[in-house]
Amino acid sequence: MEKLFMTGNEAIAEAAIRSGCLYYFGYPITPQNEIPEYMSTRLPELGGAFLQAESEIAAIYMVYGAAGAGMRVMSSSSSPGISLKQEGLSYIAAAELPCVIVNMMRGGPGLGGIQPSQSDYFQATKGGGHGDYHLFVLAPSTVQEAVSLTGDAFDIADKYRTPVMILGDGIIGQMMEPVEFEQRPRSKEYDKSWALSGAKGRPRNVIKTLYLDPQKLEQHNLKLQDKYQKMKEDVRIEHYLCDDAEIVIAAYGTVARIAKTAVQILRDKGIKVGLLRPITLYPFPYDHFQEIAERIRKVLVVEMSLGQMVEDVKLAVNGKAEVAFYGRTGGIVPSYEEIAAELEKQLF
Amino acid sequence: MEKLFMTGNEAIAEAAIRSGCLYYFGYPITPQNEIPEYMSTRLPELGGAFLQAESEIAAIYMVYGAAGAGMRVMSSSSSPGISLKQEGLSYIAAAELPCVIVNMMRGGPGLGGIQPSQSDYFQATKGGGHGDYHLFVLAPSTVQEAVSLTGDAFDIADKYRTPVMILGDGIIGQMMEPVEFEQRPRSKEYDKSWALSGAKGRPRNVIKTLYLDPQKLEQHNLKLQDKYQKMKEDVRIEHYLCDDAEIVIAAYGTVARIAKTAVQILRDKGIKVGLLRPITLYPFPYDHFQEIAERIRKVLVVEMSLGQMVEDVKLAVNGKAEVAFYGRTGGIVPSYEEIAAELEKQLF
Amino acid sequence: METIDKTDKMDRVFQRPEALTKATTHYCPGCGHGVAHRLIAEVLDELGIREQTVGVAPVGCSVLMYNYMNIDMLEAAHGRAPAVATGFKRARPDLTVFCYQGDGDLAAIGMGETIAAAARGEKICVIFVNNATYGMTGGQMAPTTLVGQKTSTSAQGRMSERCGFPIKVAEMLSVLDGPQYIARVSVSSAKYIARAKQAIKKAFEVQQLDLGYSLVEVLSPCPTDWHMTPQQAVNWLEENMLPYYPLGEFKVQGV
Amino acid sequence: METIDKTDKMDRVFQRPEALTKATTHYCPGCGHGVAHRLIAEVLDELGIREQTVGVAPVGCSVLMYNYMNIDMLEAAHGRAPAVATGFKRARPDLTVFCYQGDGDLAAIGMGETIAAAARGEKICVIFVNNATYGMTGGQMAPTTLVGQKTSTSAQGRMSERCGFPIKVAEMLSVLDGPQYIARVSVSSAKYIARAKQAIKKAFEVQQLDLGYSLVEVLSPCPTDWHMTPQQAVNWLEENMLPYYPLGEFKVQGV
Amino acid sequence: MKQQQLECAANTAVDSRTLYTNLTMAGFGGQGLMFIGKLLAFSAMKAGLQVSWIPSYGPEMRGGTANCTVVIANEPIASPVIRSPETLIIMNNPSLEAFEPRLKSGGTLFVNSNLVTCPATRKDIEVVAVPADEVAQSAGGRKAANMVMLGAYLAKVAILDKSQIEYGFLEFFGSKAAQTLDLNMKAFSLGAAFSQADCKTKKES
Amino acid sequence: MKQQQLECAANTAVDSRTLYTNLTMAGFGGQGLMFIGKLLAFSAMKAGLQVSWIPSYGPEMRGGTANCTVVIANEPIASPVIRSPETLIIMNNPSLEAFEPRLKSGGTLFVNSNLVTCPATRKDIEVVAVPADEVAQSAGGRKAANMVMLGAYLAKVAILDKSQIEYGFLEFFGSKAAQTLDLNMKAFSLGAAFSQADCKTKKES
Amino acid sequence: MSEEKKKERRARIAIDEHFCKGCGLCVDACPQHIIEISSQVTSSGYYPAACPDPQSKCTGCTLCARVCPDVAIEVFVKQKTNHGERE
Amino acid sequence: MSEEKKKERRARIAIDEHFCKGCGLCVDACPQHIIEISSQVTSSGYYPAACPDPQSKCTGCTLCARVCPDVAIEVFVKQKTNHGERE
Ligand SMILES: Cc1ncc(C[n+]2csc(CCOP(=O)(O)OP(=O)(O)O)c2C)c(N)n1
Ligand SMILES: Cc1ncc(C[n+]2csc(CCOP(=O)(O)OP(=O)(O)O)c2C)c(N)n1
Ligand code: SF4
Ligand code: SF4
Ligand code: SF4
Ligand code: SF4
Ligand code: SF4
Ligand code: SF4
Ligand SMILES: [Mg+2]
Ligand SMILES: [Mg+2]
């Protein structure tokens, strides 16, 4: 397996292509432009289609259209652009169309800045759009993991007929690391009989989200809810040195890696600390936190935000352990030194 | 004081006007069309401006513009339209512009339906847009309360330089009830020296949200965060028969009224049940729930959603009392009979 | 009620097209959407492409179009039909794709997507039903509402000083290089309906020939929100809309 | 270095306008935005309206314009400048309001707002800087990118089959009834710069006279994303953009 | 007017100390159900009572039926939403189908018998059949059938009298309504007379 | 080439069992810092090491300085984000101002002394001043000053040798780069020579 | 062709009450003025169109059907060449 | 007017290095070809324009200033009527 040296953005684009995604619609925004740029050169030669949409809104609805044709399709953007896609994501979730959306988060709110951030956690996991829907949310923390999660994202999207979000940040997108594109087991053939292809020799198919009858809309919502429950079987989390830990850091994505170094530093000092890194942010690994909360004294949640995932951790821990929070924001990336220092402060 | 008989939508529009809001920008959508319609006839005659924007996005940015001129300004929409405003709300919060936005929620996700719903709670309270920002969120449960909260909304917006959302549903908007427009105490003069008026005889003013330097963006975020902390002094909640209650229902808006009848029914049966009705959804009355959690056995959260406010209740209660949930969705409005029945079930 | 003599040897010379379902519509009596639907259905039948065609329904009174057309359809969000159609067409260039859109949908919230798709020369047909109002939401002012026309958000009649002039979509799009066929028709009378069908047919033929974007603007009565009887509505359309929105072909390339 | 003879009795015949701040810009060497800014500033000074004017900055390379213009300014979100300007102007019709927008901003994401404001005849000026690319994000294809032009998302050059033809904004908007003044100018040479200033001045005069919407499209070099030296860039502009985007006044009413 | 067709309920006793009542009315859009609902609620408000009025809403749905629910009480109204109303006024067959099952046990069902041709199926309710179209016609116009029904209802649930409705009519709907006041009040009176007349009571529960 | 100008650090001992090092390089956009950062990381990857490369990014900001950070190790890299790097390569004054305070105590600061005119202020670090522009000019072009610095760095932190860099250069940057290979490798060698030469060590901490 | 055959109607329309909403557009469109609005309400609440045509004035021009927004009208026309006679 | 006065320069420009980014557009724009790019880098990393003009060829036409995207150039012109002499 040859090792390639790629940015996270390029690696995600390549991984998508290798997962059979031949359609991409997007609009430029820093720090994710390498995704559309990569797609623009590769997809046409593969017989797929790249289109730079006129806006993020148009892009998400192009995704809706191509997904409606049963194709694997992707879009990507960064924070303000993802906000513009909220209506569309709600529609896609409602219409149960599989697709993959990447958000390389940058500092907000408003135009904010272009440096890395994690302040769109709520938007991604609770539903920034209207209605009771959810995205399946995956948070890679290395370029290599971004590759494998991208492959998984398309399978999960097809498995549940749901939009999947890959939630990264500017660092994941811009960083270069070695990556291997292992041959993934061919994904199973998902039923796409719901897709539109012209009503030839079968009753017509309709993809829609309107249910004027509240009874029917409630039924539809309960169906979606069942799906969200079922998704729990795909929850993922990394435990790092948690077995004997008295205190654990909870962090995802880039921050989790930085925190890992902090954990190493503290372990070197003989402090029993571990790291819990949720890989699926929705469904959130509540059970894992709940279980570990019985054994530990405290969770220190570290985010590049002013406190978002910390709410899910609190919901999981439900008072059984103390939950502390440390956050940097606006594009400031915490260093492992400061995380280690914060953790030492939290020891007492 | 003459009693008028008005729909919630009209009452909110009239209350806004009486609070000095002379500018309205919006786009039609059921079930809130009476707001723009009312504004379209009244504002021009008052020397203000009504403009039916070309879209919800344009409307929210027109609000941004008029707010930037230091004017009291409002927009309104319903769920899908509010999703489209998420980028704009993030910008307005970032630029610290005061304004009032009404969301008359309908069933989602997607186009969903047009019947009442409460499934945009997360979007409203956690931030459907990108970045660490919040709206101040008020949830009226009668037409009369919609009137007084609308007045308060404009004051709160000016006090904190923040966007305020009035979160209603189709019932609040469409229902007619008697209303009195009491003379509000003249709102205090808020400092608007930040507003734009041409840089005459003073250094130029700039309204912006971009902070390319992460240090500055973090500072800006911390400033916003301070404001959100300070907002807690304006938390509001209604306690109904909670003093001796063993179990309380938590509900807001329309559902809280229905639940009140359910409480009455159960009280008639001798069951000690009360109702906690958050009026401010952000800032959420965590303290009140925390305090009452010490005294009661259980909270039954009832929402027209599949479970959103229930997370805030859980965060507040933090394991100290049981939290149960009952939800209807898709435009189905729970009856007091079914809420009473659910509560009886939850007694054991 | 008329009793039908079943022994009459008669040919059925006009009947429900195959591309329509048997559902009754939710449209108000005299609404032009019904005619527009039927014309599209007739064209699909005549071109024999019912089973190779995918339609995109808008948000507007015609949102439930997918209950009435006997074809595969997608429901777009308000204004986004051209983007949905683009995504679909790029994924399935072998199929015929059309959007059906109202004037609020196409010329207000969806204007950005409309211009972009037209400029790209996206190979889709757009049937644009201009009834000079927002039908579905109860008759608010549309970008195509005539100056002086009363609506629920222009109670005194549209004022050009405040709201500008109605947008002539067909004329404006004709300036772009992308569109290959652009026409404006009316469904206010049998005479115009016949011409409307010809235009819709041409629009689909443009796509069959892979030429590019086509759009037919259909002037259509909305008796309910115009607060008129169906008869008054068609008259009002012909007396007021036709002078401002001239019928005809604005761009014809290759067909 | 030249040493300046301070005793020379000389008049300063060209200097930094008052409506510009003393800040150095973040623009690349040879970028046309600087010239466009200066022309606006000169016009504001000449009309004496620096203190009655409010500008709306776009998201694009010129997002930081509010650091360079010595006037009150609002930063709009990407594409939404016309909506922000509309909201402001409706609230303060006594002030002069202008938008400054790039081609991605105005002709891609913001096309809906642009058409709507123009159609309404909104009393604002729009200075539209067409550099045929997305400068800020690193040179992606814009709606105004020429056919064959290479960008980071059209590495083989823009192909009209896939992406259609560049939008001629000035021509398209001129079809509408709302706009009162529409012109296209260039900042590629001193000769054109002089004419550009005249057009910008007229655009502001239209607003001074309360006539309606005005727009000046400014062809402007982006040496960085065109991967050229500043000199090459102005030459490329004149050789390639001018033939496709003819300069001139497309609509002149009342001025 | 075929008075013999009338089937009416026994007078509902209105306890003035703890007055509370609610009703739902339903029919085709255009039959004026929203109108009488608002009129009733507004007049009751003017009479010093607490009221709420909730419509089925949404021009986003064309055709079909329209309904509204009114609550009247002399104490603040908690729930304005009523799943099982005490009274129904029904003006067409689809509405009967939709609402009959929801009527409170022991409640009263007023039907416009000219249009509601299907029979009510429940046995635990009272049915008052009013040939409202005919009655209205005799008052001067079929359009006033809604007022006939309101008259019939108020004759039974005596919370407001005719003068209060007349006042409400003029006050709330203004000068436009004044032109049709006579017709409407005549229809109201005929409807009321229908109820008050000695009638066959179908109390089978 | 004014060899006497050279001030270099003592050889950094590289423990091959637990290799871990990191560095940040900064200068004007266009000085090729990103290039040498990627080249270094890529070549190290090809040599079987773990690497990460993080740029300061964003064409949304024109002008100003550019920088990137490389981590090289023989175990999986936890944090690719380094607040206080062990080594700095600095190519202009603003970058010196920004980064000098962040250099790890005892770390090494390589400066292009042709452009960095302000003196380093810290006493707890080693400073290696390389007149990279001049050296590059002597190799055939000022553009290759970045390679001079890389050569100087690798001569001190001996994790890769010249042939590994040459291989990486050709492999990663492809045929386009091949044309400038000679110039670049010559610059690299001259830079390395600079470091290896017996030089005045400014070790003051 | 017998005298009787001549009195036979050349064409007729069938209005499907299930679809008809009584808009009256067909009434106006018919050049023979033989369509009228019935006074009997349908189960959907509409007064539908009817075409009694006792004098067989219908020409089968299809204009009524073409203007009908609800595709409620089918039109039948006597075969131009009388196949029965030829066979 | 004395012989000496004639040799005095009619006009001159001042280039502010703080603003100049060395784009060279003024170099091309000057009809007198008296502007050149300096070989000395500024603190911002640019090689700025300079106008030595030893032969006083500058006409004060302002073309250089008008094309300058960074408003780095000011232009000075000798007063047309010599106020000093008149006074
Ligand atoms: C995002 C969004 N905004 C607004 C609406 C509400 N809405 C539904 S249809 C419509 C306009 C309908 O007008 P038009 O497009 O002209 O179609 P018509 O009903 O007249 O055929 C609007 C504003 C919506 N559903 N979604
Ligand atoms: C909603 C949103 N989408 C995308 C971006 C990223 N973005 C910033 S500027 C820009 C385009 C710039 O191009 P143009 O408008 O032509 O201006 P120029 O830089 O060329 O002057 C884009 C796509 C953004 N900031 N916000
Ligand atoms: S409201 Fe108008 S457009 Fe909508 S169905 Fe009725 S007549 Fe047709
Ligand atoms: S990228 Fe282009 S438009 Fe942006 S500052 Fe540089 S030259 Fe100007
Ligand atoms: S077919 Fe022609 S003649 Fe016959 S009923 Fe219809 S319109 Fe009249
Ligand atoms: S046109 Fe059609 S719907 Fe209208 S009355 Fe005639 S048959 Fe009925
Ligand atoms: S003013 Fe004219 S002559 Fe003088 S330097 Fe400038 S361009 Fe040259
Ligand atoms: S045009 Fe201006 S910025 Fe460019 S070189 Fe000349 S003085 Fe410097
Ligand atoms: Mg319409
Ligand atoms: Mg541009």
Side-chain angles (χ1 to χ4, degrees), chain C residues 202-253:
Chain C
K202 272 198 200 172
F204 276 91
E205 283 165 351
V206 162
Q207 191 176 160
Q208 297 294 100
L209 295 170
D210 222 29
L211 294 174
Y213 179 93
S214 56
L215 176 137
V216 178
E217 176 171 341
V218 181
L219 303 183
S220 172
C222 172
T224 299
D225 286 325
W226 295 356
H227 304 290
M228 296 176 190
T229 66
Q231 288 83 353
Q232 287 170 333
V234 292
N235 292 341
W236 187 87
L237 188 160
E238 300 199 350
E239 281 161 25
N240 295 277
M241 291 182 78
L242 291 191
Y244 188 83
Y245 294 118
L247 303 186
E249 295 185 321
F250 293 86
K251 193 156 188 184
V252 188
Q253 267 164 37

Side-chain angles (χ1 to χ4, degrees), chain H residues 13 26 29-35 51 57-65 75:
Chain H
I13 66 172
C26 56
C30 175
Q32 302 299 102
H33 307 294
I34 54 178
I35 312 184
C51 180
K57 286 166 84 180
C58 176
T59 62
C61 69
T62 75
L63 290 178
C64 55
V75 184

Side-chain angles (χ1 to χ4, degrees), chain A residues 2-5 7 29-31 33 106 114-116 170-171 174-179 254 257-258 260-261 264 328 332-338, chain F residues 20 22 37-39 41-42 45-46 48-61 76-84 104 171-172:
Chain A
E2 202 204 355
K3 272 200 179 161
L4 302 173
F5 189 55
T7 65
I29 186 167
T30 307
N33 290 317
R106 54 189 246 182
I114 58 171
Q115 299 306 318
I171 289 179
Q174 298 291 323
M175 173 170 59
M176 292 181 94
E177 286 191 310
V179 272
T254 298
R257 281 181 80 167
I258 303 172
K260 202 177 254 186
T261 299
Q264 290 163 355
R328 296 305 299 267
I332 303 254
V333 181
S335 66
Y336 51 77
E337 293 93 335
E338 73 186 286
Chain F
Y20 177 91
N22 59 44
K38 284 185 206 175
L39 174 56
F42 179 76
M45 177 186 87
K46 283 290 169 189
L49 297 168
Q50 303 284 341
V51 299
S52 70
W53 173 87
I54 292 188
S56 67
Y57 60 79
E60 287 204 3
M61 187 53 180
I77 294 166
S79 177
V81 176
I82 305 298
R83 169 77 52 99
S84 306
K104 200 168 182 166
E171 185 85 353
F172 192 61

